[in-house]
């Protein structure tokens, strides 16, 4: 799933045409010069611009499905009224809520804080559409939905930045002159939602905070990435658009979801709580007692057993449970299906246990037996039981472990070691079996990792050293180097083993490389995101920001810059895309199909030895 997020005005819709979905997370309509962020809602009743009217009336469609918050600004009253009756692919998400958009769980809060407006009823403040201030009712509505949500939140969209988001960040990492104020209501919602990504606008500055680790509530923890976006067309030319290739959390492996990236910090909200020396039970309304205070939960409620990792393939979803049913009684009922490892059951607004829960077993096979109990009585009430996961568990390799039958795992007896050129501490390189030319090698981690992003930090660093060595070797022959990586999950095939194709090309072809990839992408119906030159951890962070958890195609150009395209699940990306482009650049278009380029074993060995001799002075193992 490729998603683009932007704090935007209607004028920006016309040039965003390469995503499956666009989300806008700040003021959609232009500001009125005479008002500030605390202006009354009536000041949004100015005439709507002709450009905005074209979209909100439905006479002009956005280039992709578009969902937004930020329903205020010049002409917003008229525009929102027009949009409510138009046939348009632009949709207002609403004042607050939690929705599923193309498989992603998206939480949102529209508007900015105003003390007077916050305490009023929504009808006293203004229309739910076209009002710049949220109310306490809007915030509470989202809290209720978050507490009852059965899955993880993929995205949180707010107009305001959360209070304390800049705490627990590395020294010297904050943009100069950044305003450190934020909304306490948004901070509370972010702590409650624990989203994978939180996007906000209104500060008119771009800031990507280092990921922070959420608290482990007993089912494992994952990180949140906060990103503040500047407005479109800002004078400082700060970044206002952020593209993501996201796999919904519900479709991810637990181990992948809970990976801890380099540079992860503690939660800023926990740091704020410690700084204020304020316990959760000192809150006047006790709003978060249900989440943190296990000893205060009502009878029958359960937050999950600490230390148990959530696993949907061992879990059933149970409905129509009696409020009187205790955790022990639920456990006793399900022991007839198998050993119960965990029971997770929240509470409603009155503090009563909810009428549904999740029951997790120690083994997958217990789920099928439990589902056969659907319709049986638990405390004189029929309960309805379904598997929490769709389909059977995919078989995926453990990261870093050899996979039987993998061509690229050196521990595999069938691995073609005659093609190996160099073996480092973390990586090795080998001649491609169907080489485009005599300077075509593969760069791979020794351990079985699915992509360069999944590799260890040491393996990533050694890959960069090898790429520099290949570049120096090619330069000695008056040539340049181009490289590409195509990351595929390939779960059913034992898992992809990361391999980067590195090919020498004529120096005269190097300036044409970027355009060649972009034109080939356009012909296939997609577009690349350009990454500037970066080294070390910065280069890895750049790539991670764009692709998230998705599959991707990455081109490393001769000048060190990169082009990347996140591959969505629905996309049919050509397997030979990289070879087709590079074969053209190398002046050997007839060698785009690797099957036609294979050699007999003696020829393969001779070619490998010849490259070894040329590469030996530059080999990283000799440096």
């Amino acid at each position: 799933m490729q998603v683009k997020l932007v704090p935007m005005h209607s004028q920006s819709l016309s040039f965003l045409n390469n995503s499956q979905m666009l989300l806008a997370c700040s003021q959609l309509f232009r500001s009125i010069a005479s008002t500030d962020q605390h202006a009354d809602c009536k000041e949004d009743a100015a005439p709507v611009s002709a450009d905005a009217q074209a979209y909100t009336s439905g006479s002009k469609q956005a280039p992709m499905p578009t969902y937004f918050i930020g329903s205020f600004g010049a002409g917003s009253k008229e525009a929102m009224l027009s949009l409510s009756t138009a046939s348009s692919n632009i949709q207002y998400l609403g004042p607050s809520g939690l929705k599923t958009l193309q498989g992603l769980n998206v939480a949102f809060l529209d508007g900015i804080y105003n003390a007077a407006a916050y305490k009023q009823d929504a009808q006293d403040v203004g229309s739910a559409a076209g009002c710049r201030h949220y109310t306490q009712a809007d915030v509470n509505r989202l809290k209720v939905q978050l507490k009852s949500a059965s899955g993880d939140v993929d995205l949180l969209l707010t107009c305001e930045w959360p209070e304390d988001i800049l705490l627990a960040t590395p020294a010297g990492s904050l943009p100069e002159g950044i305003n450190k104020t934020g909304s306490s209501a948004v901070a509370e919602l972010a702590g409650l939602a624990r989203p994978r990504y939180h996007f906000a606008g209104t500060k008119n500055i771009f800031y990507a905070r280092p990921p922070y680790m959420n608290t482990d509530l007993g089912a494992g923890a994952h990180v949140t990435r906060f990103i503040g976006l500047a407005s479109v067309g800002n004078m400082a030319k700060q970044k206002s658009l952020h593209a993501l290739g996201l796999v919904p959390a519900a479709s991810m492996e637990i181990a992948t979801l809970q990976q801890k990236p380099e540079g992860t910090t503690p939660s800023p909200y926990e740091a704020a709580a410690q700084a204020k020396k304020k316990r959760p039970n000192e809150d006047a309304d006790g709003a978060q007692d249900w989440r943190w205070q296990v000893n205060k939960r009502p009878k029958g409620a359960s937050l999950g057993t600490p230390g148990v990792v959530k696993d949907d393939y061992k879990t059933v979803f149970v409905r129509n449970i009696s409020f009187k049913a205790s955790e022990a009684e639920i456990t006793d009922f399900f022991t007839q299906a198998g050993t119960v490892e965990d029971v997770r059951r929240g509470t409603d607004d009155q503090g009563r246990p909810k009428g549904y829960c999740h029951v997790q077993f120690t083994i997958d096979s217990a789920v099928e037996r439990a589902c056969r109990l659907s319709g049986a009585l638990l405390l004189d009430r029929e309960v309805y039981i379904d598997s929490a996961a769709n389909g059977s568990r995919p078989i995926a390799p453990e990261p870093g472990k050899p996979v039987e039958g993998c061509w690229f795992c050196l521990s595999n007896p069938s691995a073609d070691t005659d093609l190996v050129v160099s073996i480092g501490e973390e990586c090795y390189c080998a001649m491609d079996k169907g080489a485009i030319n005599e300077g075509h090698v593969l760069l791979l981690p020794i351990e079985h990792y699915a992509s360069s992003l999944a590799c260890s930090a040491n393996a990533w660093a050694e890959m960069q050293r090898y790429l520099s060595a290949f570049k120096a070797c090619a330069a000695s022959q008056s040539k340049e180097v181009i490289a590409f990586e195509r990351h595929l999950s390939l779960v059913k095939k034992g898992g992809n083993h990361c391999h980067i194709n590195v090919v020498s090309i004529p120096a005269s072809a190097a300036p044409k490389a970027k355009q060649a990839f972009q034109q080939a992408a356009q012909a296939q119906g997609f577009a690349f995101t350009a990454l500037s030159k970066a080294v070390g951890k910065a280069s890895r962070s750049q790539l991670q920001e764009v692709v998230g958890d998705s599959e991707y195609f990455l081109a490393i150009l001769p000048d060190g810059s990169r082009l990347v395209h996140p591959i969505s699940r629905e996309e049919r990306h050509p397997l030979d895309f990289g070879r087709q482009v590079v074969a053209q650049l190398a002046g050997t278009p007839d060698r785009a199909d690797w099957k036609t380029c294979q050699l007999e074993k003696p020829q393969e060995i001779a070619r490998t030895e010849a490259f070894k001799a040329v590469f030996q002075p530059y080999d990283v193992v000799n440096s």
Side-chain angles (χ1 to χ4, degrees):
M1 167 63 60
Q2 187 175 3
V3 184
K4 283 184 178 175
L5 299 105
V6 56
M8 52 180 274
H9 304 305
S10 55
Q11 288 89 334
S12 64
L13 288 172
S14 60
F15 64 83
L16 300 169
N17 57 6
N18 295 309
S19 283
Q20 294 184 1
M21 179 168 62
L22 176 69
L23 301 174
C25 60
S26 188
Q27 183 176 342
L28 182 65
F29 303 94
R30 294 286 184 187
S31 297
I32 306 171
S34 61
T35 62
D36 61 24
Q37 68 173 0
H38 299 299
D40 188 86
C41 295
K42 295 179 181 179
E43 293 181 322
D44 293 336
V48 65
S49 70
D51 185 79
Q53 180 63 28
Y55 286 107
T56 58
S57 66
S59 62
K60 192 174 183 180
Q61 295 289 310
M64 74 212 76
T66 299
Y67 307 89
F68 72 92
I69 58 174
S71 59
F72 52 89
S76 59
K77 294 283 188 180
E78 179 185 342
M80 295 301 295
L81 181 62
S82 175
L83 186 63
S84 66
T85 58
S87 177
S88 173
N89 63 348
I90 303 174
Q91 297 183 36
Y92 174 52
L93 287 173
S96 66
L98 177 63
K99 295 184 177 181
T100 300
L101 303 178
Q102 300 190 29
L104 297 173
N105 287 334
V106 180
F108 53 90
L109 175 67
D110 191 14
I112 52 182
Y113 177 77
N114 175 275
Y118 188 72
K119 299 177 182 178
Q120 296 178 26
D121 293 333
Q123 57 265 33
D124 296 330
V125 178
S127 169
C131 182
R132 65 176 64 225
H133 304 305
Y134 54 79
T135 68
Q136 189 169 16
D138 294 329
V139 174
N140 288 341
R141 182 189 306 113
L142 181 52
K143 285 182 182 179
V144 170
Q145 293 186 36
L146 290 172
K147 290 176 183 179
S148 61
S150 58
D152 292 301
V153 175
D154 293 294
L155 298 166
L156 172 62
L157 309 180
T158 60
C159 294
E160 295 177 305
W161 286 34
E163 183 180 43
D164 301 319
I165 188 62
L166 302 179
L167 294 181
T169 53
S173 64
L174 300 182
E176 186 176 352
I178 191 171
N179 183 340
K180 297 184 179 181
T181 60
S183 164
S184 59
V186 172
E188 183 178 3
L189 290 172
L192 196 61
R194 296 155 54 87
R196 293 164 62 201
Y197 286 87
H198 180 180
F199 287 87
T202 68
K203 283 190 184 292
N204 201 23
I205 188 172
F206 174 75
Y207 173 64
R209 189 197 187 282
Y212 64 84
M213 181 61 68
N214 292 288
T215 302
D216 186 348
L217 303 181
H222 63 270
V223 300
T224 293
R225 292 178 170 87
F226 172 81
I227 298 175
L229 294 173
S231 62
V232 170
N234 64 88
M235 296 297 292
K237 297 184 179 180
Q238 294 258 354
K239 183 177 178 182
S240 60
L241 176 67
H242 194 85
L244 288 176
L246 280 184
V247 174
S251 302
M252 295 175 63
E253 291 292 312
I254 295 295
T256 302
L257 178 63
Q258 296 179 359
Q259 283 181 349
K260 182 179 179 180
E262 285 187 45
T264 296
T265 75
S267 168
Y269 310 121
E270 289 184 16
Q274 293 173 4
K276 296 172 184 176
K277 296 182 179 179
K278 182 179 180 181
R279 300 188 186 95
N281 63 1
E282 292 175 343
D283 291 341
D285 59 1
Q288 293 199 23
D289 281 354
W290 73 273
R291 192 175 181 92
W292 304 105
Q293 299 295 98
V294 177
N295 60 327
K296 291 191 175 184
R297 70 191 184 208
K299 179 183 178 182
S302 174
L303 303 182
T305 304
V308 174
V309 177
K310 179 181 173 184
D311 187 339
D312 285 347
Y313 293 97
K314 297 179 181 177
T315 303
V316 292
F317 179 63
V318 190
R319 294 175 289 125
N320 201 40
I321 301 174
S322 169
F323 291 130
K324 298 178 181 179
S326 68
E327 180 177 343
E329 289 168 327
I330 295 171
T331 300
D332 288 343
F333 175 84
F334 280 98
T335 52
Q336 56 191 307
T339 303
V340 175
E341 188 175 40
D342 194 16
V343 175
R344 300 186 292 275
R345 189 183 190 191
T347 60
D348 61 19
D349 290 340
Q350 286 73 47
R352 298 180 304 176
K354 292 181 178 176
Y356 60 86
C357 74
H358 289 83
V359 178
Q360 182 168 315
F361 299 91
T362 56
I363 56 176
D364 298 19
S365 58
V367 170
E368 182 179 353
R369 293 192 292 271
C371 289
R372 295 174 190 160
L373 299 174
S374 187
L377 296 179
L378 173 57
L379 296 189
D380 298 323
R381 292 189 68 172
E382 288 186 357
V383 290
Y384 307 103
I385 306 164
D386 296 292
S387 172
N390 294 321
S392 57
R393 182 189 300 275
I395 306 300
E398 184 180 352
K401 299 296 183 182
V403 173
E404 184 178 357
C406 174
W407 292 353
F408 298 137
C409 285
L410 290 179
S411 59
N412 181 4
S414 61
D416 210 336
T417 55
D418 290 334
L419 300 178
V420 173
V421 172
S422 171
I423 301 179
E425 294 182 2
E426 302 282 345
C427 305
Y428 76 96
C429 54
M431 301 302 294
D432 188 273
K433 199 168 184 67
I436 290 175
N437 58 27
E438 300 304 311
H440 184 178
V441 294
L442 300 180
L443 175 58
L444 315 94
I446 294 174
E447 302 294 347
H448 190 105
Y449 291 98
S451 69
S452 57
L453 273 180
C455 290
S456 66
N458 289 339
W460 173 277
E462 191 169 77
M463 280 184 173
Q464 307 315 303
R465 292 196 297 273
Y466 264 115
L467 287 172
S468 296
F470 289 135
K471 188 174 182 66
C473 180
S476 70
Q477 302 173 13
S478 300
K479 294 182 179 181
E480 294 281 357
V481 160
I482 195 164
F484 64 90
E485 176 190 6
R486 188 180 192 275
H487 162 45
L488 289 178
S489 296
L490 297 178
V491 173
K492 294 182 179 179
K493 297 182 180 180
N496 181 62
H497 190 133
C498 168
H499 55 284
I500 299 175
N501 285 262
V502 184
V503 184
S504 62
I505 60 174
S508 59
K512 306 172 187 176
K514 183 175 183 179
Q515 185 178 12
F517 272 107
Q518 290 174 329
Q519 289 179 343
Q522 186 177 12
Q524 292 293 336
F526 69 89
F528 280 111
T529 297
L531 303 180
S532 59
K533 297 179 185 178
V535 297
K537 293 181 180 179
S539 64
R540 191 169 188 172
S541 298
Q542 271 189 342
L543 181 57
Q544 183 73 66
E545 271 191 36
V546 175
V547 303
D549 305 313
S550 71
E551 299 174 345
Y552 60 85
F553 180 91
L554 173 70
I556 305 172
L557 304 178
D559 65 357
S561 63
R562 295 172 294 170
L563 298 173
V564 62
H565 170 61
I567 302 173
S568 66
R569 283 196 164 192
E570 298 81 11
E571 182 178 348
R572 296 179 64 86
H573 195 275
L575 284 170
D576 62 349
F577 177 80
R579 283 189 65 104
Q580 291 284 350
V581 177
V582 173
Q584 290 284 345
L585 291 169
T588 55
D590 56 314
R591 300 184 69 82
D593 184 355
W594 74 273
K595 294 179 182 178
T596 65
C597 304
Q598 297 182 79
L599 302 174
E600 297 294 331
K601 177 61 71 175
Q603 294 173 299
E604 286 183 344
I605 295 175
R607 185 184 63 187
T608 301
E609 293 302 320
F611 185 84
K612 279 184 182 180
V614 174
F615 183 62
Q616 195 273 335
Y618 309 95
D619 196 338
V620 298
V621 300
N622 298 324
S623 59

